[in-house]
Amino acid sequence: MMNFPVLSVITFTPMVAALIILMMPAQRRNEIRAVALAAATFALILSIWVYVQYLTRNMIGYQFEETYRWLPALGIGLHLGVDGMSTPLVLLTGIVMFTGVLISWGDEDPHVKAGIQDRPREFFAFLFLLAGGVFGVFVSLDLFMLFFFYEIAVFPMYLLIVIWGWVKTREYAAMKLTLYLFIGSVVALVGALAMYWLQYKNTGVLSFDMLLMEKAGFSSAFQIAWFLPVFFGFAVLGGIWPFHNWSPDGHVAAPTAVSMFHAGVLMKLGAFAALRVGIMLLPEGAKYWSWLIMLFAGVAVVYGAYIAFVQTDMKYMIGFSSVSHMGLVVLGLSTLNRNGLIGAGVQMFSHGVMTALFFAVTGMIYDRAHTRMIPELGGMMKIMPFAGVGFIIGGLVSMGMPMFSGFVAEFPIFMGVWETRWLVAVIASISIVITAAYIMINIRKVFFSELPANLEGHVGDITVLDKIAIATLCLLMIGIGLFPSLMVPMVQTGVKHITDILQMGGL
Amino acid sequence: MFTSTMFASILPEILILVIGILILVVEPFWKEEKRRNVGWLTAGGLLLAMIVSLLFARPGEPTMTLGGMVRFDWLGFFFKMLFMFAGAATALLFMDNEKIGHRGEAYLLLLASLLGMNLMAVSSDLVMLYLAIETTSIPLYILSGFMLADDKSTEAGFKYLLFGALTSTIMLYGFSLVFGFSGTTNIYQLADMLKAGNLPLVTAFGVLALILVGLGFKVSLVPFHFWAPDVYEGAPTPVSGFLSTASKAAGFAVLVRLFFVAFPDYAVSWTLAIAVLSATTMTVGNLLTLQQTNIKRLLAYSSIAHAGYTLIGVVALSQLGAASVVFYLAAYIATNLLAFGIVMAFSRVTGSDEIKDYAGLSRRSPLLGLMMLAAFLSLAGMPPFGGFVAKVFVFAAGVQAGYTWLVIVGILNSIIGVYYYLNVLKYVYLYRMPNEDEENHPVPLSRPYMIALVVLVAGVILVGTVFAPWFSWSDAAALNLF
């Protein structure tokens, strides 16, 4: 079983499914949905299998490695593998893909405007192409392939938002998002090409393999010069301040499943690539610039939380809270110490699940009540209690309550920050209070206040598929919260490798 | 003595000639309504010619044949195959165009210019080169002005002829100066001659500048680009597609050979000038594209920008640089032919080339919408389509040569490109036809279009995913330059 090319199967399952779906006749909507669900389930099962294998066998370092030659003349190959950092993210992608399909299922009853009614064939095809790209980035150990998959993950976003998004802002938001992300990734690409040629000059090996590049011995001056474009090029997708501007607009304009993907998975892509390419390949640069990243991340955490606090649109609120929570991830990365990195690794997973849940619930409310404005909503607890409980659990995670995955993530981050610059930790912790405030205000108003008269009668409960999706996401957050050993030791093995790299350089 | 190598070195051209003669013989006997079938004959013939050439006329070690007129190497061969592929696809796209599809002479002119292009790719003598360039150009002037009843088309033909004649005579003047200074017209002897260093740098600069005017016109570099949008817009759409791909690639084939082989020592002192030319071309092309509302003009201006990206590979002046140019052209030929093919198929049904009329296309014909998606994303440089890999290779060559600033200019430009290409896709996928149900207005594809477009889509995806063989061929071709 160990020889089974599980990572490439995971990566290409969504892409193949996308092709199959595209070839199906457009009228067979239910069959299309069924194929989509089957593919998503298959990918989820495989990613769970990878996760469980990694966990139960106490694995360390890169596992399930696969190498295929692709363009040997230029040292491009399909080198796949996962470590303690990426395994949770592969699982996260599998889960968000699965729940995203459930939530987009769409009811054929014309009175219920839920899920994707308009051209589900194209929707699922584009969504799966995106998912394939995301899987590809998380498992790539080849820099060229990482970019290849990264771009594949970016462009379907444009179509998904522009076609199925919120009518008012979709054109503007989709274009803004695509241009921001494209600029970021190509700037990083130039840095990657510079690394590639310098490695060739230093070692005489022509290769995009990142494991080789880690040992290429780039000079400090080179690392310091190229770290910023590479790190920030990717971190744009991670929603780092001051390049976060595209993100809330994109969240708001996107249809529910795409918002889930976007905030849940895609933003991790940015943070993960910034770590994998920026910090791990240019450690000296990371050490030199860590103060700057910490500054930006610190601003993102507090500022994002504050802006979220003053929003009246639920999606904007969650969008800005994502900026804040992704700021925590980058804050953890910027510490460059063990605790901070572990926290960042867990936070990527925790925030992914949490924000997917938030967007799912918001989407369900919007589909039925036709509004997302917090002042116009109320009494949802009576109508959709299941969604309400889900939202509350997500809120507790967001606030960093113990017993939930948010705590497991945020606590080490703050510990790590305290170790390096205690003042930043103190300032950043303000965000916890603000987060608690906006989450609780939101819960009170949307779920527990009086149901507005104009909503009475035509707002229905959520579907069974929706409930399955919510339950899956909630169980994960509680599971990690109660048993951190399900994830923390795994992340630790990945962090060990990073701290080793960072120590090798000295300073 | 006519040896087998000589024969092999021009076998593809002989076969093209045979197809042409066949058309001349057969066509008069066909009735008016059957004349369209000449397209099948041309496309099928070219396909067969490609297969035969691949089997029997592969070059080995680079050799000079036919008295030093022709160089028989992989660079030329690879380009020939690309041109013939483009020619076959174009012939299919001709077939259902009312204005040119039923007239045998259109296919004949296409073949004639194809013959010229093939010779452009292999010429190793300036005289031969000039003849080849004119053989390519004159049929294309006629084809551009083929629709005599259409003012725009006549204007296109005339404009193309005037600009083309002007620039090619300037180039010819440059050639004659080269002969005057060196006493030889053979490119490879010229290289040896120039290595001895008999030519003052200023003179060499002047001569190269004159030659560059002619080639710059062919590949539509700024400031020799003025003709391109008007001609592309006025010419019959399949002809525009052919002009912007094969004819441009032929220009690059000559540019690369002259630059890398004949003037390598002088080329080093030229790279900065070419780099500036490349940066201007990309920027001007892209900025002008932004305001286009006609899709043919949009593709015309963006093809200027693409010439700029391709030039980055020339600037690099390395083996990877040359290989990336060849690869870029291969990807670009498939992509842009696809784009023009779609425009053709669409305007055949709707009679419009305005971008706003593409509203609702994805509902009218999901397949055509998807193809358009592939073409435009490839032009924008997104994976898994050919354009992405091509761009990365060109940029990699630029970074390797130390032209990081040029690569950054290229990147900023491709971001502008992403903007306007996505804008077109927005019409295709987001906007809807005003007050109409799109399902009632399908865009049917006739069989030749279907074949051509499917083959081209497959090409665009294959170049973007299974890029190893294409790259090794490009690399083998580039190797022949050194």
Side-chain angles (χ1 to χ4, degrees), chain A residues 380-392:
Chain A
M380 288 296 149
M381 203 64 189
K382 283 193 205 109
I383 295 169
M384 39 179 90
F386 208 91
V389 172
F391 196 88
I392 292 167

Side-chain angles (χ1 to χ4, degrees), chain B residues 141 144-160 234-235:
Chain B
Y141 301 151
S144 306
F146 210 73
M147 303 188 291
L148 285 175
D150 181 348
D151 283 349
K152 272 191 174 171
S153 176
T154 11
E155 187 199 327
F158 198 57
K159 200 170 231 171
Y160 192 28

Side-chain angles (χ1 to χ4, degrees), chain A residues 230-457:
Chain A
V230 171
F231 186 89
F232 283 111
F234 285 121
V236 170
L237 182 50
I240 188 164
W241 184 87
F243 310 115
H244 66 285
N245 201 297
W246 59 274
S247 148
D249 285 322
H251 289 316
V252 171
T256 305
V258 177
S259 292
M260 289 167 68
F261 239 94
H262 177 179
V265 183
L266 218 60
M267 290 177 88
K268 275 85 222 167
L269 220 62
F272 175 77
L275 168 74
R276 191 73 193 82
V277 184
I279 294 176
M280 287 171 78
L281 298 186
L282 302 167
E284 297 290 311
K287 283 183 219 164
Y288 187 86
W289 292 111
S290 67
W291 63 273
L292 185 69
I293 303 169
M294 194 172 270
L295 179 73
F296 281 5
V299 173
V301 170
V302 180
Y303 165 87
Y306 178 70
I307 302 291
F309 178 68
V310 297
Q311 296 301 319
T312 50
D313 183 321
M314 274 178 87
K315 264 193 156 180
Y316 266 113
M317 184 199 87
I318 303 166
F320 278 104
S321 91
S322 282
V323 172
S324 169
H325 283 100
M326 284 308 290
L328 281 176
V329 172
V330 182
L331 196 64
L333 296 181
S334 73
T335 62
L336 301 180
N337 62 30
R338 188 169 161 276
N339 284 330
L341 289 167
I342 291 176
V346 182
Q347 172 75 355
M348 280 200 260
F349 185 86
S350 163
H351 173 253
V353 179
M354 168 192 101
T355 203
L357 177 68
F358 274 160
F359 277 119
V361 174
T362 307
M364 291 166 199
I365 293 175
Y366 181 72
D367 282 344
R368 289 163 182 81
H370 307 294
T371 179
R372 296 186 308 250
M373 304 309 287
I374 299 167
E376 293 171 16
L377 286 164
M380 288 296 149
M381 203 64 189
K382 283 193 205 109
I383 295 169
M384 39 179 90
F386 208 91
V389 172
F391 196 88
I392 292 167
I393 292 175
L396 293 173
V397 176
S398 180
M399 288 185 259
M401 284 293 141
M403 313 288 274
F404 295 97
S405 60
F407 179 77
V408 180
E410 288 181 22
F411 191 70
I413 291 178
F414 281 109
M415 262 166 50
V417 179
W418 187 276
E419 281 171 49
T420 44
R421 288 186 177 80
W422 62 268
L423 191 62
V424 178
V426 171
I427 295 170
S429 61
I430 300 171
S431 75
I432 300 179
V433 183
I434 307 176
T435 307
Y438 68 72
I439 292 289
M440 289 197 288
I441 291 172
N442 188 64
I443 290 175
R444 192 204 67 210
K445 181 72 186 96
V446 173
F447 291 96
F448 289 102
S449 65
E450 202 64 24
L451 181 71
N454 62 335
L455 292 182
E456 231 167 280

Side-chain angles (χ1 to χ4, degrees), chain B residues 343-392:
Chain B
V343 170
M344 169 82 253
F346 181 78
S347 77
R348 199 173 76 91
V349 176
T350 62
S352 167
D353 287 328
E354 292 301 309
I355 295 174
K356 63 173 171 22
D357 291 326
Y358 280 75
L361 177 62
S362 70
R363 291 168 200 267
R364 296 173 71 176
S365 167
L367 181 67
L368 208 59
L370 276 175
M371 285 175 172
M372 197 136 171
L373 184 76
F376 277 69
L377 287 178
S378 178
L379 285 173
M382 296 278 190
F385 306 110
F388 171 75
V389 194
K391 270 212 181 92
V392 172

Side-chain angles (χ1 to χ4, degrees), chain A residues 76-236:
Chain A
I76 298 170
L78 197 65
H79 188 180
L80 308 179
V82 285
D83 67 349
M85 278 311 224
S86 48
T87 311
L89 295 173
V90 171
L91 178 65
L92 173 69
T93 313
I95 290 162
V96 175
M97 187 175 158
F98 176 74
T99 50
V101 171
L102 289 183
I103 279 164
S104 316
W105 191 273
D107 208 317
E108 288 299 325
D109 179 1
H111 299 294
V112 185
K113 201 185 144 290
I116 297 296
Q117 305 282 353
D118 178 30
R119 287 184 285 175
R121 176 176 70 159
E122 279 88 350
F123 178 82
F124 284 118
F126 293 147
L127 188 70
F128 278 16
L129 197 59
L130 173 76
V134 172
F135 274 127
V137 173
F138 288 143
V139 302
S140 280
L141 295 180
D142 185 280
L143 197 47
F144 183 89
M145 294 321 299
L146 187 132
F147 276 101
F148 189 84
F149 286 124
Y150 193 92
E151 302 286 354
I152 290 187
V154 167
F155 84 77
M157 204 69 191
Y158 176 80
L159 295 162
L160 287 167
I161 294 179
V162 99
I163 303 174
W164 291 276
W166 186 41
V167 180
K168 280 186 188 152
T169 59
R170 58 187 177 187
E171 284 177 52
Y172 165 75
M175 188 58 90
K176 183 167 165 183
L177 174 144
T178 314
L179 290 183
Y180 257 94
L181 301 188
F182 195 66
I183 292 173
S185 65
V186 282
V187 166
L189 177 66
V190 180
L193 290 172
M195 283 188 233
Y196 170 71
W197 291 118
L198 187 64
Q199 158 176 277
Y200 180 54
K201 231 164 96 185
N202 284 0
T203 63
V205 182
L206 204 53
S207 172
F208 276 104
D209 198 316
M210 288 195 277
L211 299 188
L212 293 177
M213 278 196 189
E214 282 173 7
K215 305 180 191 97
F218 301 134
S219 69
S220 290
F222 175 85
Q223 298 198 21
I224 289 167
W226 281 104
F227 177 78
L228 286 186
V230 171
F231 186 89
F232 283 111
F234 285 121
V236 170

